[in-house]
Amino acid sequence: MNVIGEWLWQDLEETTSTNDAVKIWNAELNQPCLVTAKRQSKARGRRGRSWISEEGNLFMSFAYQAQLHQLGHLVILSGLAVWQTVKHFCPEADIKVKWPNDVLAEGGKISGILFERGENDYWIMGIGINVVSHPEKQATGYGTASLFSLGARTDRLCVLKQFIAEWDTLLQRYRVEGFLKLKQSWLDKALNLGQKVKIRQEKEIKEGIFKNLADDGSLWLQSEKGIEKIIVGDLFV
Ligand code: BTN
């Protein structure tokens, strides 16, 4: 067992999904912890999609305790931490956060985040960041990007260390300052804010103007029917 930042950490050669591995380890430890892996054989994304796991990219899953009412905030902050990480390595690139927590660099998806429930009060935050390569296509309809394609020459462990520095700082600010200042920081980087968007949900697609982020991390969508709070869905144009 290793320690990185304040996290108990295991770096595996291979697992099905780091989300699975961290769930098992966290249930044994009953403490916050982190699992990374060089390879994932059955990685999953949001809404039943799979996550193509090319070796050299970063796959990491954190288990930590949070109350249900904080979850929407943490979902938003996770995207912000990835944005800051990508910006650190690619300061010149045009990088956006896409609600709820995707990060697009020069219009291509460079990261994906999957929250799942763990045991007791634990939540699992699984993040993939394309470091050295990116898959050709994405089921989401967006292009793809990697730190390498943006010109950065680095490796998954350097990116991991930077992400942890960003994440731990953001969590500390969240505890001290609350969500509202961080919400503004997220909005400053948001894709399609004030524009017409579509939100794909399980049974329907909603259309309207992306007006704002709600104070719980949901999205305010203005349509002819009025203003509606969207809690889950995939945003596209
Ligand atoms: C998405 O954009 O659909 C979310 C993708 C999440 C992928 C990461 S990679 C590390 C962790 N392990 C998984 O099986 N999924 C997440």
Side-chain angles (χ1 to χ4, degrees):
M1 187 194 313
N2 298 304
V3 175
I4 183 166
E6 292 176 10
W7 296 89
L8 298 178
W9 172 42
Q10 278 189 65
D11 186 30
L12 305 175
E13 283 295 313
E14 177 156 356
T15 180
T16 49
S17 150
T18 51
N19 273 26
D20 293 336
V22 84
K23 267 182 208 170
I24 295 167
W25 197 34
N26 170 245
E28 282 166 25
L29 287 177
N30 202 21
Q31 280 193 61
C33 56
L34 161 68
V35 171
T36 53
K38 286 189 187 149
R39 292 181 296 280
Q40 298 187 112
S41 56
K42 223 175 166 185
R44 50 188 180 268
R46 294 174 62 226
R47 303 171 63 78
R49 293 186 290 257
S50 57
W51 183 258
I52 298 168
S53 301
E54 293 172 353
E55 194 163 347
N57 292 335
L58 177 59
F59 317 117
M60 55 184 170
S61 297
F62 296 77
Y64 55 85
Q65 275 171 312
Q67 305 297 312
L68 188 58
H69 74 269
Q70 299 174 312
L71 189 66
H73 295 161
L74 296 171
V75 166
I76 293 297
L77 296 184
S78 61
L80 193 54
V82 171
W83 185 97
Q84 292 177 181
T85 304
V86 174
K87 197 72 186 166
H88 173 87
F89 289 100
C90 307
E92 305 301 325
D94 176 31
I95 309 162
K96 297 279 186 214
V97 285
K98 182 168 91 64
W99 186 85
N101 57 9
D102 279 344
V103 175
L104 302 189
E106 302 292 350
K109 180 159 159 148
I110 194 164
S111 164
I113 307 181
L114 176 68
F115 274 81
E116 295 180 333
R117 209 178 238 293
E119 301 248 328
N120 304 319
D121 285 338
Y122 279 91
W123 287 93
I124 309 300
M125 177 177 80
I127 304 183
I129 300 181
N130 296 334
V131 178
V132 296
S133 66
H134 54 88
E136 290 241 317
K137 274 199 256 159
Q138 258 284 323
T140 54
Y142 287 86
T144 52
S146 64
L147 295 175
F148 186 91
S149 75
L150 298 169
R153 299 294 175 260
T154 182
D155 63 48
R156 67 183 188 100
L157 294 181
C158 288
V159 181
L160 171 68
K161 281 184 200 134
Q162 188 62 33
F163 176 83
I164 287 175
E166 305 290 356
W167 180 239
D168 287 350
T169 307
L170 271 181
L171 278 188
Q172 184 57 21
R173 280 188 63 195
Y174 174 60
R175 285 187 201 110
V176 174
E177 297 170 16
F179 182 61
L180 293 189
K181 263 198 189 161
L182 296 168
K183 166 180 149 176
Q184 190 52 51
S185 174
W186 188 93
L187 282 168
D188 294 341
K189 305 162 179 60
L191 186 75
N192 302 131
L193 182 64
Q195 295 171 4
K196 207 166 169 195
V197 295
K198 298 186 180 103
I199 308 287
R200 190 183 293 115
Q201 296 184 314
E202 209 151 293
K203 293 197 175 124
E204 60 179 325
I205 291 180
K206 293 193 163 141
E207 285 192 46
I209 307 289
F210 174 9
K211 288 301 275 185
N212 202 349
L213 193 64
D215 288 350
D216 62 359
S218 310
L219 179 150
W220 285 116
L221 188 73
Q222 174 89 60
S223 68
E224 303 104 57
K225 293 186 207 145
I227 189 138
E228 188 183 351
K229 203 192 225 189
I230 307 287
I231 298 169
V232 285
D234 267 347
L235 180 147
F236 65 108
V237 283

